[in-house]
Amino acid sequence: MAILEICVTGDPVLHSIARPVTVVDDELRQLVADMYETMDLAPGVGLAAPQVGVPLRLFVYSYEDDEGAPWRGVVLNPILWISPLPIGEIDEEAEAEGCLSVPGERHPLRRAEAAMLTGTDLEGDAVELKVVGWRARILQHEFDHLNGVLYVDRLELPYSRRAAKAIRKSGWGVPGISWLPGRDDLEG
């Protein structure tokens, strides 16, 4: 297995719609294994193929809730349904989100409380996830990556302004910038 470079905002692969996965072969299986290893080292709770420069509709996820229940998997060609967005003031702490492609930044973003996602796994078996809370947030975040949307693209004022300033200050927002977990001193 290998640790993969993670693309930073501004790279065209992050801002384009990914292609469907049409073939599951040894090369794709290796990509998924490398994505798990990269996500775990980063550390992250999800990693989409476009984040490692591969424009395919797949992502891996891994999250352990407060009770210690593990939740880990891969989804190819997902379809996502979400509940209506909550109404009211955003909670800057509870709704703060980060992204390995905007490393070190966290900003509050309103997400749906519940989500259902369908797709397939590497064996071609159906995957159906019905989740709430942080697990729903993770699925929405990773699904957005497959459609060329980063969480910072969804931020509202004043958070969008703060994120844009941080991106400019870091010199991001241009093609070709990446970081390698375990080598570079960055966190998402």
Side-chain angles (χ1 to χ4, degrees):
M1 289 195 270
I3 303 300
L4 304 171
E5 295 262 344
I6 297 175
C7 300
V8 173
T9 184
D11 196 294
V13 72
L14 293 173
H15 305 283
S16 304
I17 296 173
R19 297 184 317 265
V21 175
T22 57
V23 175
V24 177
D25 56 13
D26 288 344
E27 185 176 338
L28 188 76
R29 290 178 193 284
Q30 185 62 55
L31 171 66
V32 169
D34 293 345
M35 287 174 62
Y36 276 123
E37 189 173 1
T38 302
M39 173 184 64
D40 292 343
L41 184 60
V45 295
L47 186 65
Q51 290 182 274
V52 294
V54 180
L56 291 176
R57 296 188 73 75
L58 74 98
F59 65 82
V60 297
Y61 59 90
S62 183
Y63 179 70
E64 188 172 297
D65 62 21
D66 293 338
E67 289 79 42
W71 183 65
R72 188 172 176 90
V74 59
V75 183
L76 286 64
N77 301 321
I79 298 171
L80 178 72
W81 295 268
I82 59 173
S83 63
L85 292 179
I87 298 173
E89 292 294 316
I90 196 163
D91 183 323
E92 291 191 19
E93 187 174 316
E95 296 183 89
E97 196 166 307
C99 179
L100 296 174
S101 291
V102 189
E105 291 297 314
R106 291 186 62 77
H107 301 280
L109 175 63
R110 177 64 39 95
R111 294 276 192 186
E113 180 61 24
M116 184 175 90
L117 184 129
T118 61
T120 59
D121 63 17
L122 288 173
E123 285 71 44
D125 295 330
V127 172
E128 181 176 287
L129 303 170
K130 294 179 182 177
V131 294
V132 297
W134 272 99
R135 290 178 179 185
R137 179 175 292 273
I138 292 165
L139 294 183
Q140 292 168 76
H141 181 108
E142 299 309 325
F143 186 80
D144 273 353
H145 276 299
L146 306 182
N147 292 319
V149 177
L150 300 181
Y151 92 104
V152 292
D153 299 330
R154 293 193 178 277
L155 296 175
E156 295 182 5
L157 289 172
Y159 314 111
S160 59
R161 187 173 294 131
R162 292 177 192 162
K165 182 178 180 181
I167 289 167
R168 280 192 309 274
K169 184 177 179 183
S170 296
W172 303 334
V174 296
I177 300 174
S178 63
W179 68 282
L180 186 68
R183 180 193 72 194
D184 298 324
D185 188 22
L186 299 172
E187 292 181 351

